[in-house]
Amino acid sequence: VVCPLHLFRGESGGDAVGVFYEKVTALTGDQPPVVMSHKGLHFVHVRQGGLYWVATTTADSSPFTIIEFLNRLSALVKDYCGSLSEKSVQMNFALIYELLDEAVDYGYIQTTSSDVLKNFIQTEAVSSRPFSLFDLSNVGLFGAETQQSKVAPSSAATRPIQSSREQSDLRKSEIFVDVIERMSVVIGSNGMLMKADVEGEIRVKCYLPNCSEMRIGLNEEFSIGKSQLRGYGAAVRVDEVSFHQMVRLDEFDSHRILRLCPSQGEQMVMQYQLSDDLPSAPPFRLFPTIERDSGGRLLMYLKLRCDLPPKSLSQELSSPDQSAELKPQSRAVVWKIPRFTGGMQLSALFKLEVPGLSSASLLEVGPVGLSFELPKLTATGLQIRFLRLSPVQPGPSQRWVRYVTHSDSYTIRI
Amino acid sequence: MPYLGGEETVRELRRALSNPNVQSDQLRYRNTILKVIRAMSQGVDMSGLFSEMVKACATVDVVQKKLVYVFLCSYAALNPELSLLVINTLRKDCQDPNPMVRSLALRNMTNLRLPSLVEYVEQPLAAGLRDRAACVRRVAVLGWAKLHNLQASSEIDAAVVNELYSLLRDPDPVVMVNCLRALEEILKDEGGVAINKPITHHLLNRLKECDIWGQCQVLRVLQRYRPQSEDELFDILSLLDASLVSPHPPIMAATLSLFLSLCSGQPAVSLAALERVRGPLLAACGSGSREMRFTALCHIQLLLRSIPGLMGAHYKRFFCGYAEPAYIKQRKMQVLVELVNDENVAMLLDELKGYCTDVNAETAQAAITAIGRIGRSYSDRCLEILTGLLGLKQDHITSAVVQTMRDLVWVCPQCSDTVCFALEGCEETLQDSQGRQALLWLLGVYGERVSSAPYTLEVFIDGVRSEASLGVKMELLTATMRLFLCRPAETQDMLGRLLHYCIEEETDMCVRDQALLYYRLLHCGIEETRKVLQGRRSDPSLGVLIGRPAEPVSQWARSFNTLEPLRQGSIETESVSRGSPEHTMFDPKPNADLSNTLDCSRIEKVHSGKEDFVWMEECVRCPTIPRCSPQSLQAAMQLVNIQTLAFTPPQTLPWRVYLYTHTCLDDAPHSTLILGELLYTGEEPQKAEVHKDDKALKGFLSILTTVLHTLSSERA
């Protein structure tokens, strides 16, 4: 637990860190409440990258603002330090002091725009991991272990944004456009889809030293809301869309093109939601059989099928390298499947010795929660048609478009 | 966390800092300073290096300057004399051609927080206000606020205030916002910056130039503005409409706050605004940051108080994700309970049922309580689920189910048959005192319908010696007494044993007194006993009012977009999950029954001495009470934080209302609970009986009287 503390107003007293530390460690639950108070001093915290980001404040301040700022601050630190961990924070404390100093004055937020801040920030980031071009071991966003045909090196998106200024390495003029979707699905015990929500976002992570304008083209048949359907093909539909304020939408209505001038660092360009109306079947289905065998053991026979179109992953599997583990503390069996191609079906049989197993206990089994990451796929079908930069970048610039769908919560009842 | 060898480190660093070789090599110098700061941030006391660091301040290297300033600002208060030396360097830096250096110097000059330096700071600050570079002006503006707070007693310099007001027209939006912030601080005693019509419209017009933090600040300050005409009000509202559906939750929340304060006289407009923010709030509920989700959920709960049906169609958005932390799950369940209607009840209960077996016991209990709450309107479906859960034989689940059934049966006596049937065999799985208390209460009240009740009680009585929980003992006494009244033959012997034990051997004063009371009561005859003990059974006509009427927006508008909603709920859940339904006036053990609102510290206090048991009776004459409907009385009482427990039906005599409230003063060591009975027998005055706390009692009575007078005058 690291709390980079800065006294902005000198009102909180020096022991605020100690008080917060005691409060956090004294709690036994999995999560301390977001707001805690001690003698009229209120602590608001968020957790990002395994760190607590804490603000102290008065009771009448806006929680939305504080939490958004703490999230933004952690994103800034991530942008400047490359990655977010206790180690990188410790190594870059001087940079973080500087960042805080410029972003907040006397407890008032001055700016959090990386474009503005980059003029002020002088300290250079210390990378916690030496950068290697050949570091292909774990690839993709969020540590997804998927090897795709053409991949960006994993450390490419986790390097400090400012190193480009010092080392004018051409290879580093890169831009990443990520389409990230989070699915939350509930499938009933009868196999019925009870709920399916998708929250999606397009993020741009820009390392280009000078990029005046960028045009992102989405699917032409992209439609918003129920009324408006476009084109003849399978429409890509979402319920609600919101854009970052820097996005210009003059070509959006006619050609579904977003125009923006990305600033260095990571920014959210577009957010969208879709509820209860997925264009395709949910990606995973489970066929469970739970019973009690003669020896009083609990038998769980699980058949898991991936309903994605067969070629959605480029690799073929040699043999599924699965593992299963019983976690007595959370009373769960964890079944890990490193890779799972579309159309495939996997099954597993778990035999559990449960003391005092009765027929009623079978009701207690479940639900099954799936957590997965689907690379190169979006649940809504949103695609990026093209990505154009102007002026045309001198030298070789790399443009990456990555799609990934996460399971925010994928629950199958038994 | 000072570690051993701290002094050694200080000595070593001092040597390095004063080494001319290090000083001449910029990189080495910087690295040494870096080491100092690192040690400082790890909690080592580095104040001894102050003079060396002051020297290091005079450099052209901006990074080094920044690092030194971090150090100086942390330790300046300990070395006011030496800090005077820094001022010279800082003042020189204020003349630097580089605006970044100027702003840096100015900021740190004001961050030293030394009243003795104020006279040196004022001149550069005044110059800073007229600097060419916006970044210097930003710092200078806030600098005046810092200066003012440093010497709060000094009078306000009118020239500075005027200059700050004129800087509201600065081309840089951050300077403008900082001016607002500074004026708010400087003019705090006068109620903050003056918000008149020209300033308001100027701020509104420039709102779009600001970033989200600036917008939030401006929107917040504007809450003080009162439009002069309705036309102006609607002009402002339509200007703000786009911000209301902003994708940034902070702006959306700040705009809604402003809407609610502007439209406080126009409830219809406020309600329309709430409808507008539904979309953005729901989006915030699905945000990637779980803290943001939590905040949005808490605020949705506020909105639902005024428009209960606001989210009805979107109930699925509040289904819990399996990886969500318990505090979010519990909030979502509280919201789900509010959203239940005929169409979604089946889906919703199915979902809640899934949470009942959650690995986290608290989540499971919250889910069971939620089902119980829904049971007040859909009792059959819910009882089916609850009974099914008993079959799992998990102690925490059984305990929560029994408590929930107790609460449910009090409100819906028609459920009692199912509950009685389900109780058989529960006692084996119950472990915690809350659950056993609930079971005992049920056995006492419905003893004649549960065939095994005497046997269950006997097991408890046999084990009373080793019983640790006070609450269980008290409940056991009452339950045995009640069972004795309906099944004397089976119970007489064990009641004798229990009373004997409690009077002769029990060390706790509370239990002993209770047993003595019952013993003497039995001397008065069986009819007297029956009157006292069975009068407390829930009467279908004496029902708690279910379902909250839609509250006016004004009731929570002030707490919207503050930390309050985030803190509130945790207290609320507690009282919802633990309430015993029975609160009677004649019972000298309110602490056992009302543990929901009393904290442990006070329970101990009650035990410590007899004088705390003194009951007070106060009379207030108020002749025309029961002329209004229970609903309007309840609503009126809730306005002043008095909760109603139960009513007799209207037009019956004697007409009774049971009330409770508790003091919530932050500075008091413990809160006082006030139980009140409002009695109207035609001519008699009303009574309120409370714990001895004169001040709280007086406050309560005066508020109560005011409410009643208001109500009766409305009727008249």
Side-chain angles (χ1 to χ4, degrees):
Chain A
V1 182
V2 181
C3 317
L5 176 98
H6 211 66
L7 291 178
F8 286 115
R9 297 187 58 109
E11 285 170 1
S12 51
D15 61 335
V17 184
V19 171
F20 181 77
Y21 183 77
E22 272 169 33
K23 289 222 166 219
V24 166
T25 45
L27 284 156
T28 48
D30 56 341
Q31 274 285 317
V34 177
V35 178
M36 292 187 279
S37 55
H38 175 81
K39 290 184 187 158
L41 186 70
H42 299 267
F43 297 95
V44 181
H45 79 270
V46 304
R47 281 198 71 169
Q48 291 280 350
L51 303 171
Y52 286 101
W53 302 78
V54 192
T56 60
T57 175
T58 54
D60 62 341
S61 44
S62 158
F64 287 103
T65 312
I66 297 168
I67 288 172
E68 179 91 353
F69 171 69
L70 291 174
N71 282 329
R72 177 72 196 133
L73 181 69
S74 66
L76 270 177
V77 171
K78 191 177 167 204
D79 276 351
Y80 275 91
C81 302
S83 64
L84 211 54
S85 67
E86 187 165 344
K87 199 174 162 211
S88 70
V89 168
Q90 272 174 356
M91 291 176 82
N92 291 298
F93 67 95
L95 175 66
I96 294 170
Y97 270 131
E98 193 180 359
L99 207 62
L100 270 173
D101 214 31
E102 298 292 348
V104 185
D105 190 8
Y106 205 41
Y108 293 115
I109 305 165
Q110 299 294 301
T111 180
T112 53
S113 143
S114 50
D115 272 344
V116 178
L117 284 172
K118 77 177 176 197
N119 303 321
F120 292 96
I121 303 300
Q122 303 283 323
T123 315
E124 277 161 41
V126 187
S127 232
S128 54
R129 189 174 35 176
F131 175 68
S132 151
L133 186 61
F134 305 103
D135 182 15
L136 291 169
S137 54
N138 54 343
V139 162
L141 281 174
F142 310 103
E145 296 181 344
T146 47
Q147 290 208 324
Q148 297 158 34
S149 51
K150 190 186 177 200
V151 291
S154 66
S155 47
T158 59
R159 65 188 156 82
I161 50 174
Q162 285 215 320
S163 51
S164 55
R165 182 170 58 188
E166 303 305 322
Q167 313 145 1
S168 58
D169 188 348
L170 283 178
R171 208 205 57 77
K172 296 209 168 157
S173 55
E174 288 180 314
I175 189 157
F176 296 83
V177 176
D178 296 331
V179 183
I180 302 159
E181 296 194 344
R182 287 177 289 131
M183 292 182 88
S184 68
V185 170
V186 178
I187 297 175
S189 48
N190 52 1
M192 278 251 298
L193 189 63
M194 291 167 72
K195 168 196 162 170
D197 282 351
V198 179
E199 314 255 349
E201 60 200 36
I202 299 181
R203 286 169 186 248
V204 172
K205 190 157 192 175
C206 178
Y207 294 106
L208 301 175
N210 53 338
C211 172
S212 62
E213 195 188 58
M214 174 169 140
R215 284 152 50 96
I216 304 175
L218 308 180
N219 318 34
E220 283 198 326
E221 48 293 335
F222 182 78
S223 66
I224 302 161
K226 291 213 158 59
S227 54
Q228 189 192 14
L229 282 177
R230 299 166 68 93
Y232 300 100
V236 177
R237 198 187 67 79
V238 298
D239 286 336
E240 266 170 64
V241 181
S242 58
F243 299 96
H244 190 277
Q245 55 193 12
M246 69 176 176
V247 179
R248 286 194 305 277
L249 297 171
D250 26 336
E251 283 180 79
F252 184 72
D253 275 337
S254 51
H255 297 105
R256 297 301 186 211
I257 292 172
L258 309 175
R259 292 171 56 200
L260 63 146
C261 305
S263 45
Q264 284 199 347
E266 186 171 316
Q267 53 232 289
M268 181 102 71
V269 171
M270 174 175 141
Q271 280 174 292
Y272 54 93
Q273 295 150 24
L274 172 65
S275 7
D276 273 343
D277 191 16
L278 288 187
S280 52
F284 295 101
R285 291 252 158 197
L286 185 79
F287 305 93
T289 321
I290 308 280
E291 55 193 36
R292 203 157 48 129
D293 75 351
S294 49
R297 280 178 303 187
L298 181 70
L299 291 188
M300 292 197 294
Y301 183 64
L302 304 179
K303 219 159 44 161
L304 189 63
R305 195 178 77 205
C306 176
D307 281 343
L308 294 172
K311 271 288 169 187
S312 79
L313 256 179
S314 51
Q315 271 85 21
E316 287 302 317
L317 291 177
S318 49
S319 71
D321 180 22
Q322 306 173 26
S323 67
E325 192 188 346
L326 178 70
K327 296 257 166 88
Q329 204 156 25
S330 55
R331 295 192 289 156
V333 176
V334 179
W335 178 18
K336 281 187 185 148
I337 307 164
R339 230 152 271 159
F340 203 173
T341 48
M344 208 168 111
Q345 186 161 310
L346 291 178
S347 54
L349 177 64
F350 299 107
K351 294 186 184 177
L352 297 168
E353 298 272 2
V354 183
L357 185 75
S358 68
S359 55
S361 319
L362 294 185
L363 297 172
E364 227 184 316
V365 180
V368 176
L370 263 66
S371 69
F372 55 81
E373 198 171 66
L374 304 172
K376 298 180 85 178
L377 186 98
T378 53
T380 52
L382 182 82
Q383 299 275 328
I384 292 189
R385 265 187 304 150
F386 61 79
L387 187 62
R388 279 185 206 130
L389 302 173
S390 59
V392 177
Q393 297 290 314
S397 68
Q398 300 271 16
R399 283 171 288 175
W400 302 100
V401 176
R402 305 183 286 190
Y403 301 98
V404 69
T405 298
H406 288 273
S407 57
D408 190 30
S409 164
Y410 196 97
T411 311
I412 302 171
R413 305 213 173 286
I414 294 183
Chain B
M1 298 144 268
Y3 54 84
L4 290 173
E7 277 174 42
E8 188 57 39
T9 326
V10 172
R11 218 171 298 138
E12 208 169 281
L13 285 170
R14 174 176 297 138
R15 215 173 300 132
L17 282 175
S18 39
N19 183 345
N21 291 333
V22 174
Q23 287 179 355
S24 57
D25 181 347
Q26 209 184 64
L27 208 63
R28 275 179 73 191
Y29 205 15
R30 191 201 281 184
N31 279 334
T32 316
I33 290 167
L34 212 55
K35 274 186 203 144
V36 175
I37 309 283
R38 186 192 298 270
M40 184 187 95
S41 69
Q42 282 165 350
V44 185
D45 182 15
M46 288 282 151
S47 54
L49 296 178
F50 199 83
S51 55
E52 281 80 10
M53 291 297 268
V54 170
K55 278 181 211 131
C57 175
T59 169
V60 286
D61 179 10
V62 180
V63 177
Q64 183 176 332
K65 248 189 215 307
K66 284 190 171 181
L67 288 173
V68 175
Y69 287 152
V70 168
F71 178 91
L72 292 181
C73 289
S74 314
Y75 289 116
L78 301 174
N79 296 292
E81 289 85 35
L82 284 172
S83 306
L84 207 60
L85 301 174
V86 191
I87 283 289
N88 270 330
T89 323
L90 286 169
R91 284 181 65 131
K92 205 159 77 216
D93 278 355
C94 284
Q95 314 290 328
D96 197 279
N98 182 348
M100 199 162 71
V101 174
R102 291 204 300 272
S103 70
L104 188 67
L106 210 51
R107 182 166 60 226
N108 286 293
M109 208 184 263
T110 47
N111 277 352
L112 288 175
R113 297 200 185 97
L114 287 175
S116 56
L117 300 183
V118 167
E119 49 180 320
Y120 305 99
V121 178
E122 275 180 349
Q123 189 269 324
L125 265 188
L129 285 182
R130 286 182 284 272
D131 200 283
R132 286 186 320 280
C135 64
V136 182
R137 293 200 300 274
R138 291 174 187 176
V139 172
V141 166
L142 277 186
W144 283 107
K146 296 181 203 170
L147 219 57
H148 175 76
N149 284 352
L150 209 54
Q151 26 171 225
S153 52
S154 71
E155 52 192 78
I156 303 157
D157 186 351
V160 173
V161 172
N162 279 339
E163 188 140 16
L164 288 177
Y165 268 117
S166 67
L167 276 176
L168 281 176
R169 308 210 170 262
D170 194 276
D172 183 74
V174 180
V175 174
M176 176 186 86
V177 175
N178 278 355
C179 275
L180 276 182
R181 291 162 170 164
L183 285 169
E184 283 281 287
E185 299 241 3
I186 294 172
L187 304 174
K188 204 184 286 159
D189 297 336
E190 299 168 23
V193 55
I195 296 293
N196 54 25
K197 192 170 170 179
I199 290 185
T200 304
H201 286 260
H202 170 70
L203 291 176
L204 281 172
N205 287 331
R206 297 197 50 188
L207 197 58
K208 286 283 162 286
E209 297 168 34
C210 305
D211 62 358
I212 57 172
W213 321 114
Q215 291 191 28
C216 293
Q217 187 76 43
V218 171
L219 291 167
R220 191 182 189 89
V221 170
L222 286 181
Q223 281 187 30
R224 286 209 301 272
Y225 185 63
R226 290 283 159 265
Q228 284 150 4
S229 69
E230 204 157 275
D231 286 345
E232 192 193 353
L233 170 68
F234 284 105
D235 281 348
I236 295 177
L237 295 189
S238 54
L239 258 177
L240 289 174
D241 191 63
S243 317
L244 199 55
V245 290
S246 157
H248 303 288
I251 296 185
M252 176 273 297
T255 317
L256 184 63
S257 272
L258 176 58
F259 256 70
L260 296 182
S261 79
L262 288 177
C263 309
S264 48
Q266 313 230 355
V269 184
S270 310
L271 291 182
L274 299 190
E275 299 270 357
R276 284 281 279 162
V277 297
R278 174 173 49 201
L281 259 182
L282 276 173
C285 274
S287 147
S289 148
R290 46 195 189 180
E291 288 81 9
M292 186 57 84
R293 284 187 201 192
F294 176 71
T295 312
L297 276 171
C298 296
H299 283 86
I300 283 180
Q301 283 185 304
L302 278 186
L303 261 63
L304 288 177
R305 282 165 61 177
S306 287
I307 313 185
L310 187 67
M311 304 282 173
H314 303 275
Y315 66 98
K316 284 186 184 172
R317 301 293 282 273
F318 301 98
F319 283 5
C320 303
Y322 68 89
E324 277 177 331
Y327 63 84
I328 292 192
K329 286 187 179 169
Q330 286 165 17
R331 284 291 171 144
K332 284 193 165 172
M333 286 185 237
Q334 289 175 15
V335 173
L336 282 175
V337 168
E338 305 274 328
L339 299 184
V340 71
N341 61 33
D342 286 350
E343 277 111 62
N344 61 24
V345 63
M347 279 286 269
L348 232 154
L349 283 176
D350 204 42
E351 182 72 18
L352 283 174
K353 195 172 131 191
Y355 308 150
C356 292
T357 49
D358 197 284
V359 181
N360 182 323
E362 275 172 38
T363 309
Q365 278 162 358
I368 293 166
T369 314
I371 293 179
R373 286 292 297 269
I374 297 175
R376 296 182 182 186
S377 0
Y378 301 93
S379 51
D380 290 347
R381 294 167 191 257
C382 294
L383 277 174
E384 197 188 313
I385 297 177
L386 291 176
T387 338
L389 287 172
L390 287 177
L392 296 179
K393 306 255 179 239
Q394 289 277 337
D395 54 355
H396 70 277
I397 294 179
T398 310
S399 162
V401 170
V402 172
Q403 290 177 58
T404 306
M405 284 180 161
R406 172 198 60 189
D407 296 345
L408 185 61
V409 101
W410 182 261
V411 185
C412 314
Q414 70 274 15
C415 306
S416 55
D417 284 334
T418 326
V419 170
C420 291
F421 186 71
L423 283 183
E424 309 264 351
C426 282
E427 71 279 358
E428 288 158 25
T429 24
L430 281 175
Q431 300 290 327
D432 64 327
S433 60
Q434 291 282 344
R436 285 182 299 159
Q437 259 172 277
L439 177 70
L440 285 171
W441 186 86
L442 283 165
L443 288 178
V445 176
Y446 296 103
E448 77 261 60
R449 285 194 254 165
V450 184
S451 56
S452 65
Y455 308 105
T456 314
L457 284 188
E458 187 149 33
V459 175
F460 273 99
I461 290 171
D462 289 343
V464 73
R465 253 165 245 278
S466 49
E467 178 59 60
S469 157
L470 169 75
V472 171
K473 284 187 207 167
M474 303 282 267
E475 204 66 66
L476 182 61
L477 266 172
T478 315
T480 318
M481 280 296 282
R482 284 180 177 162
L483 199 64
F484 172 68
L485 292 175
C486 58
R487 299 165 78 164
E490 294 155 284
T491 327
Q492 186 171 15
D493 178 51
M494 60 174 100
L495 175 65
R497 271 188 287 143
L498 180 65
L499 285 178
H500 182 266
Y501 167 79
C502 290
I503 295 171
E504 297 294 330
E505 291 179 48
E506 175 62 47
T507 49
D508 191 284
M509 210 44 104
C510 248
V511 179
R512 224 177 75 90
D513 276 3
Q514 178 90 335
L516 274 173
L517 173 82
Y518 286 146
Y519 183 69
R520 290 174 192 142
L521 198 61
L522 287 169
H523 275 297
C524 301
I526 202 77
E527 276 318 305
E528 278 300 305
T529 316
R530 201 180 293 278
K531 222 158 72 189
V532 171
L533 277 171
Q534 293 198 328
R536 292 192 277 180
R537 186 161 300 191
S538 84
D539 166 7
S541 65
L542 185 99
V544 173
L545 294 178
I546 316 158
R548 290 186 293 210
E551 290 175 35
V553 177
S554 55
Q555 203 154 329
W556 50 264
R558 284 182 64 82
S559 66
F560 187 84
N561 204 14
T562 66
L563 297 184
E564 208 173 303
L566 277 75
R567 291 148 41 78
Q568 238 167 24
S570 48
I571 307 160
E572 243 170 54
T573 26
E574 222 169 298
S575 64
V576 165
S577 64
R578 285 218 213 117
S580 177
E582 179 189 41
H583 311 279
T584 29
M585 288 301 99
F586 315 108
D587 191 345
K589 46 151 201 163
N591 47 335
D593 268 346
L594 285 170
S595 54
N596 53 343
T597 34
L598 290 163
D599 52 56
C600 307
S601 62
R602 207 170 52 262
I603 290 178
E604 276 166 20
K605 193 164 185 320
V606 169
H607 297 167
S608 61
K610 276 210 154 190
E611 63 272 24
D612 279 335
F613 264 178
V614 174
W615 293 89
M616 304 266 305
E617 271 195 24
E618 291 276 327
C619 300
V620 180
R621 291 214 167 266
C622 186
T624 54
I625 312 158
R627 289 283 160 79
C628 53
S629 73
Q631 280 79 11
S632 60
L633 181 63
Q634 189 187 30
M637 293 293 187
Q638 276 181 350
L639 273 176
V640 289
N641 274 328
I642 299 175
Q643 308 299 322
T644 36
L645 290 167
F647 284 95
T648 43
Q651 273 92 46
T652 45
L653 284 178
W655 184 81
R656 286 197 174 103
V657 186
Y658 292 115
L659 307 162
Y660 79 91
T661 186
H662 54 100
T663 54
C664 26
L665 299 169
D666 290 336
D667 51 336
H670 51 74
S671 60
T672 298
L673 178 84
I674 299 179
L675 292 172
E677 180 193 18
L678 207 64
L679 182 68
Y680 181 75
T681 50
E683 289 303 311
E684 272 181 51
Q686 71 182 90
K687 274 185 217 164
E689 298 183 50
V690 289
H691 281 293
K692 186 176 183 176
D693 182 339
D694 289 339
K695 204 175 122 204
L697 178 66
K698 263 180 212 148
F700 170 69
L701 286 176
S702 73
I703 291 171
L704 190 63
T705 321
T706 322
V707 172
L708 293 171
H709 277 300
T710 319
L711 279 173
S712 46
S713 65
E714 269 173 18
R715 297 282 133 183

